Amino acid sequence: MVKYNTGSITNSGTGTGTVLISAPVSASVNAITQNSSTSALNVSGAITANTTATTITDSAGSMTLSGGVSGTGNVILNNNTSTNGALGITTSGFSNVGTITNSGIGTGTLTIGVAVSSNVTAITQNSANSALTISGAITSNATATTI
């Protein structure tokens, strides 16, 4: 089953259980937001990047992406918390045709600990507060990957 929501997906629950999105998330979704300090969000389904951009934001609590990102479109990652690794990117990597940008406003570090394929043309650090750490392998694009 593919999640064909149009627009955005937001977890703002007040419960303590983890919200799991295990179905693939289609390119119709342009934003995924974690906004609950008590209910973690785990997106284990593959995310297909929106053709304009897909913005993934953790504003409260913790969020894990483990299904990878593919498709054609840019990905904007925001750790808007003060917690290092609050937005966790695990298991599957980035193979989107486009760019990856860290522009979080929090002070927590964003770590990309997964592979970044040659489809990605640029990785940009665009945050004065949220440091970007890349510990996964980066395969350079044929014309170069800008970091």
Side-chain angles (χ1 to χ4, degrees):
M1 175 179 185
V2 176
K3 179 69 179 159
Y4 283 107
N5 189 55
T6 299
S8 64
I9 298 171
T10 301
N11 176 34
S12 58
T14 58
T16 57
T18 298
V19 173
L20 172 65
I21 300 173
S22 58
V25 178
S26 78
S28 299
V29 174
N30 60 14
I32 301 172
T33 303
Q34 163 61 353
N35 200 22
S36 172
S37 59
T38 58
S39 176
L41 176 60
N42 182 353
V43 182
S44 64
I47 299 169
T48 302
N50 180 279
T51 55
T52 303
T54 301
T55 302
I56 301 170
T57 303
D58 187 349
S59 295
S62 65
M63 177 180 191
T64 302
L65 306 176
S66 59
V69 180
S70 63
T72 301
N74 300 328
V75 177
I76 302 165
L77 302 169
N78 299 313
N79 180 3
N80 291 345
T81 75
S82 59
T83 304
N84 292 337
L87 172 54
I89 304 163
T90 63
T91 313
S92 294
F94 289 89
S95 62
N96 57 300
V97 177
T99 64
I100 300 170
T101 301
N102 175 37
S103 60
I105 59 172
T107 56
T109 299
L110 173 69
T111 300
I112 298 176
V114 295
V116 177
S117 85
S118 61
N119 290 338
V120 175
T121 57
I123 301 171
T124 303
Q125 166 62 1
N126 192 28
S127 173
N129 300 317
S130 178
L132 173 62
T133 300
I134 303 169
S135 59
I138 300 172
T139 303
S140 182
N141 185 285
T143 59
T145 300
T146 304
I147 298 177

